[in-house]
Amino acid sequence: MSFLIDSSIMITSQILFFGFGWLFFMRQLFKDYEIRQYVVQVIFSVTFAFSCTMFELIIFEILGVLNSSSRYFHWKMNLCVILLILVFMVPFYIGYFIVSNIRLLHKQRLLFSCLLWLTFMYFFWKLGDPFPILSPKHGILSIEQLISRVGVIGVTLMALLSGFGAVNCPYTYMSYFLRNVTDTDILALERRLLQTMDMIISKKKRMAMARRTMFQKGEVHNKPSGFWGMIKSVTTSAPGSETSLSLCAKWITPWDKTIP
């Protein structure tokens, strides 16, 4: 009795997920296309429904909802259906759709679709040779063999897509975070640069005038040389040097405060 109740809950959720996938496909993915492929809609909706059901079973496993035996049964059934769609149905229909668009192969499209599917299966199976996937415990077309190869392809594709998205997304949306520079901003910065250059030139002129005043008073020419002369010049300075330095500091300090 509990198994029937659990099965009814899972079937109801799958129907709801199938309807949501159908509406999402019609309203979002193919809303701008006039040609409708109902087989594509059915395959997308079924895949979406079983994928959401597996995610639902994971949540039920964490929360302890439903019986453990029914959860295991529905998990294995969903896994088999998804592998059947991904490995057999979707590649075959893609090959059939490609062959149908070629007029020369239109009469024998079923045969060439089977050939394309066999080619896909060959490369799909040879993909697992470099990896330690083969095991004598499992058969050739077992769930373990198929899901291991699907996992290798899925992880590789997800890594490529995530790397592309990590590079493309900042490159695409970086312009939204940048400040627009107008001609007025450029002219304002040029004026500030000219003002700063004028300040530097005026400071150099004032420093040259202060040195000239010090030379005229004999503070530089009469400066003693040697080690003892340096010590003497530090301890005993000329009476006019302090006033010259104070004047230089008074001239320079107000201009320093105006620099942005």
Side-chain angles (χ1 to χ4, degrees):
M1 188 66 181
S2 61
F3 180 77
L4 294 176
I5 296 173
D6 296 342
S7 299
S8 62
I9 293 172
M10 296 305 300
I11 291 171
T12 304
S13 62
Q14 286 176 357
I15 292 172
L16 293 175
F17 290 141
F18 180 86
F20 182 77
W22 185 278
L23 292 175
F24 178 76
F25 186 88
M26 294 289 292
R27 301 291 178 85
Q28 290 295 120
L29 296 181
F30 270 68
K31 63 179 180 179
D32 297 329
Y33 294 90
E34 296 180 356
I35 300 174
R36 302 293 182 182
Q37 296 289 336
Y38 290 101
V39 179
V40 177
Q41 297 177 22
V42 171
I43 292 174
F44 175 82
S45 301
V46 170
T47 307
F48 181 81
F50 279 94
S51 300
C52 293
T53 305
M54 292 187 70
F55 183 69
E56 183 184 20
L57 286 172
I58 293 174
I59 297 175
F60 286 170
E61 181 71 24
I62 296 172
L63 299 178
V65 181
L66 304 182
N67 195 4
S68 60
S69 59
S70 61
R71 286 199 306 264
Y72 178 75
F73 172 78
H74 287 286
W75 175 266
K76 198 166 185 179
M77 184 186 69
N78 292 338
L79 197 60
C80 292
V81 173
I82 288 179
L83 288 175
L84 180 66
I85 294 172
L86 293 178
V87 179
F88 297 98
M89 190 177 294
V90 173
F92 178 80
Y93 188 74
I94 291 174
Y96 181 80
F97 187 74
I98 292 172
V99 173
S100 298
N101 292 328
I102 301 174
R103 294 182 178 179
L104 298 175
L105 307 176
H106 190 72
K107 294 182 179 180
Q108 298 178 347
R109 54 188 176 182
L110 187 61
L111 177 62
F112 285 100
S113 300
C114 293
L115 291 176
L116 286 176
W117 179 77
L118 290 174
T119 305
F120 165 77
M121 287 299 296
Y122 174 77
F123 287 105
F124 176 77
W125 198 261
K126 294 297 290 183
L127 184 67
D129 291 343
F131 302 98
I133 296 175
L134 295 176
S135 177
K137 298 180 181 179
H138 309 295
I140 297 176
L141 295 177
S142 61
I143 296 177
E144 289 79 8
Q145 299 289 345
L146 295 177
I147 201 170
S148 57
R149 285 165 173 79
V150 171
V152 169
I153 297 173
V155 171
T156 305
L157 290 177
M158 288 299 294
L160 292 175
L161 292 175
S162 61
F164 175 77
V167 175
N168 186 47
C169 184
Y171 179 77
T172 304
Y173 296 101
M174 187 65 73
S175 59
Y176 292 102
F177 302 98
L178 296 177
R179 179 174 173 266
N180 293 326
V181 180
T182 60
D183 296 335
T184 307
D185 298 333
I186 296 173
L187 292 174
L189 290 174
E190 288 179 352
R191 292 196 197 96
R192 292 178 63 183
L193 179 61
L194 291 175
Q195 291 177 0
T196 305
M197 296 296 293
D198 292 337
M199 291 178 186
I200 293 172
I201 292 171
S202 62
K203 285 182 180 182
K204 288 183 178 180
K205 288 182 180 179
R206 292 178 182 276
M207 291 175 66
M209 291 174 63
R211 287 180 182 177
R212 182 180 178 183
T213 305
M214 293 170 66
F215 274 113
Q216 289 178 356
K217 291 183 178 180
E219 295 177 358
V220 177
H221 293 288
N222 297 328
K223 188 176 182 179
S225 60
F227 179 75
W228 294 105
M230 292 174 62
I231 296 175
K232 188 176 180 181
S233 63
V234 171
T235 54
T236 60
S237 58
S241 62
E242 295 180 358
T243 58
S244 300
L245 292 174
S246 62
L247 288 173
C248 184
K250 288 180 180 179
W251 287 334
I252 294 174
T253 304
W255 290 96
D256 290 335
K257 296 179 180 178
T258 59
I259 297 175

